[in-house]
Amino acid sequence: MTELNLHFDNRFIRELPGDDSGSPHSRQTPHVCWARVAPTVVSKPRLLAYAPEVAALLGLSVDAVESENFAEVFGGNRLLPGMAAYATRYGGHQFGNWAGQLGDGRAISLGESVNSQGERWELQLKGAGITPYSRRADGRAVLRSSIREFLCSEAMFHLGVPTTRALSLISTGDVVRRDMFYDGNPRDEMGAVVCRVAPSFTRFGHFEILAAQGEMTLLRQLVAFTIERDFPHLSGPIEARFAAWFSEVCERTAQLMVAWMRVGFVHGVMNTDNMSILGLTIDYGPYGWVDNFDPSWTPNTTDEDLRRYSFGKQPKIARWNLERLADALMPVAPDRKLLAAGLIVYDQVLQREMQTMLTAKFGWLNPCDGDDALLGEIFGLMQQCEVDMTEFFRALALVDVRQPDVQTLASSFYQPLLFDNHRALLDDWLQRYSERVLSEAENEPTRRERMNRVNPRFVLRNYLAQQAIEAAEQGDMAPLHRLLQAARQPYAEDCPADLIAKRPEWARHKAGASMLSCSS
Ligand code: AMP
Ligand code: MG
């Protein structure tokens, strides 16, 4: 049997109090941060896909990942020596309201593996069965949502967006019943388990639940633990460390928002329980990618009316979420002014990095007076004229700024008529854009190259993921593997043409291909 050589050092359960009973029954778990619970056995675990880069991070060979033992372990049927299975306790603000205890309802951690470089990677199965935090739900995940989490985690990583990673996608051989449209017509779907990997899965909600329940000693303990384990570079007396820590959480969250806005990613459920303390993208549910540029777009059908989590609102919502984290930390902060200072860091980093990001996306070298007007105009036009965000920026790189021709941008429009109707306005904008580029006297190949490094050619468009899902449900994994391959080089020029095509018309309103429910 090929060895799965992993070394574990499970600090979270060693250093923080837990409920050791092992009982999976649904309950409140006051005064602890975790509860021991074994994954529920599945009937026929089968490896459908894995990320070789993540296996390498953990020090796992290809043979080890493709062994039968791997599917057994990462499908949830067996624990390796040193592993410990547990679910963690957190709360959260959902859609703006305090929701009480939530917790890992279908995620079960298997421990913190430490690789040969001493890097710590927590392994967590998603869809591994009920835990004390499952409430009335089944603890399972369906294949379709597992494929979406698996693919998008890796796509985001290769785009340069901070994210949890995905090691493996395993079908369980069991069916899971889901009402995908919440219309009273549930159907049986294939079950799956994703093993996700991150240095820490701690969320804002882990702190919030303790503050909400008045468990201040434990809250203090979790803060100290988080700083030590997850922010080991911070040093000095506790007051200084606390300030630096909260400020870094704010800074990382700002960087994350800028990264999402750069690539057109919409998380869809930015509840505080889905916010990582490390500023990673976490919990891939009804997320989506912007096709036609539209700040008011949300992929989440549950959010259709309020649009709280729409594309353009994400930076504001992150700020609101950080404020909820600050509220939770208030009772244990050495000085509450430190929290206000952290939030100001968020605003400053966000503003500075958004400007840097946009300057780079448009191919300019340095920000300059008048840029805001140019940006405002083009974003307005892009929204009005249904312009594909991804395609637009790659086309903009191709514009010959010495003889700008608006036709270069035509391919990024969904409706030729809208292009024709706005030709004069676009032409006028492009003239001024080109003068702006020329004012920095850089050669064209260099500008193009710089732009193509920040403007992806391939993004995991919703309809592409949906096609891979439909094929996988029929037993054909080839489209999924092809997407994973493309996701590895999202900025490369030579991506297969069908994977970089704008959203086809049939996908505009198709469930799964444009809008998604939370049912997963
Ligand atoms: P989410 O909206 O996926 O971030 O989940 C919100 C909360 O519901 C978290 O506590 C999840 O663990 C829990 N949850 C979601 N789906 C399930 C499920 N199928 N079984 C148990 N808990 C779930
Ligand atoms: Mg969640």
Side-chain angles (χ1 to χ4, degrees), residues 156-157 160-164 252 255-256 259-260 278-282 284:
M156 293 284 266
F157 170 77
V161 180
T163 179
T164 62
R252 284 175 181 238
Q255 299 277 14
L256 181 67
W260 286 359
L278 287 179
L280 309 173
T281 313
I282 190 170
Y284 291 90

Side-chain angles (χ1 to χ4, degrees), residues 90 102-106 134-135 137-140 178 274 283:
Y90 57 81
L102 300 165
D104 292 324
R106 54 167 166 176
S134 298
R135 291 168 286 164
D138 60 4
R140 289 294 180 195
R178 284 287 182 278
N274 290 336
D283 274 12

Side-chain angles (χ1 to χ4, degrees), residues 175-496:
V175 295
V176 174
R177 207 163 174 74
R178 284 287 182 278
D179 185 353
M180 181 170 164
F181 304 107
Y182 297 125
D183 62 358
N185 293 306
R187 67 175 178 114
D188 284 342
E189 299 191 45
M190 293 164 75
V193 174
V194 169
C195 177
R196 49 185 188 183
V197 175
S200 165
F201 285 99
T202 301
R203 302 149 188 266
F204 291 6
H206 280 100
F207 302 91
E208 288 180 279
I209 187 70
L210 301 179
Q213 302 295 314
E215 299 172 24
M216 298 310 169
T217 309
L218 189 48
L219 176 58
R220 213 167 270 120
Q221 203 181 335
L222 180 65
V223 169
F225 173 83
T226 302
I227 295 176
E228 269 190 31
R229 191 193 64 170
D230 300 338
F231 296 77
H233 51 281
L234 301 180
S235 58
I238 181 64
E239 179 159 346
R241 272 208 293 170
F242 183 96
W245 170 61
F246 186 67
S247 161
E248 187 172 334
V249 173
C250 291
E251 173 157 359
R252 284 175 181 238
T253 305
Q255 299 277 14
L256 181 67
M257 291 308 109
V258 174
W260 286 359
M261 300 312 283
R262 172 172 65 84
V263 298
F265 175 80
V266 191
H267 184 284
V269 205
M270 287 178 72
N271 294 332
T272 55
D273 50 298
N274 290 336
M275 297 292 293
S276 142
I277 203 70
L278 287 179
L280 309 173
T281 313
I282 190 170
D283 274 12
Y284 291 90
Y287 67 82
W289 295 83
V290 169
D291 290 310
N292 52 300
F293 180 83
D294 179 3
S296 73
W297 183 69
T298 171
N300 183 353
T301 48
T302 317
D303 194 28
E304 214 170 354
D305 294 333
L306 291 175
R307 295 186 181 263
R308 178 180 172 88
Y309 297 145
S310 60
F311 178 50
K313 282 205 196 136
Q314 296 185 121
K316 260 208 171 90
I317 292 293
R319 169 69 144 92
W320 191 88
N321 290 341
L322 283 164
E323 288 164 17
R324 301 294 73 73
L325 177 62
D327 290 346
L329 296 174
M330 195 83 81
V332 299
D335 180 345
R336 46 179 60 193
K337 284 204 285 292
L338 303 178
L339 296 167
L343 294 171
I344 290 169
V345 167
Y346 176 83
D347 298 338
Q348 290 168 339
V349 174
L350 182 75
Q351 208 215 350
R352 185 188 74 216
E353 296 299 311
M354 280 290 275
Q355 184 180 52
T356 304
M357 179 273 279
L358 289 170
T359 304
K361 261 185 107 61
F362 282 84
W364 304 325
L365 283 168
N366 295 296
C368 152
D369 285 348
D371 285 355
D372 284 351
L374 271 178
L375 294 175
E377 264 176 67
I378 197 62
F379 284 140
L381 278 168
M382 285 170 76
Q383 185 173 5
Q384 234 178 309
C385 303
E386 289 200 8
V387 176
D388 187 82
M389 178 174 167
T390 305
E391 175 96 19
F392 174 83
F393 284 100
R394 294 295 284 216
L396 191 63
L398 294 174
V399 167
D400 176 354
V401 288
R402 281 171 213 289
Q403 286 174 311
D405 179 355
V406 77
Q407 199 61 37
T408 318
L409 303 175
S411 66
S412 60
F413 285 65
Y414 276 92
Q415 303 195 44
L417 190 63
L418 285 175
F419 175 73
D420 291 338
N421 288 348
H422 293 81
R423 187 181 267 272
L425 280 171
L426 286 160
D427 189 50
D428 177 59
W429 181 85
L430 196 62
Q431 293 296 332
R432 282 176 291 133
Y433 167 80
S434 299
E435 284 160 25
R436 164 74 176 88
V437 170
L438 286 167
S439 73
E440 286 180 315
E442 184 189 28
N443 70 45
E444 279 292 272
T446 315
R447 174 182 67 98
R448 233 157 252 162
E449 203 189 295
R450 272 193 309 106
M451 287 178 78
N452 290 347
R453 277 204 300 267
V454 294
N455 296 318
R457 183 126 176 87
F458 172 84
V459 293
L460 186 65
R461 292 177 189 269
N462 313 302
Y463 84 91
L464 292 173
Q466 183 59 22
Q467 286 174 327
I469 288 165
E470 286 168 19
E473 285 174 340
Q474 303 303 314
D476 177 10
M477 292 298 145
L480 188 156
H481 289 128
R482 208 165 155 251
L483 283 184
L484 182 60
Q485 192 54 33
R488 286 201 175 98
Q489 292 199 314
Y491 300 97
E493 208 47 70
D494 58 355
C495 185

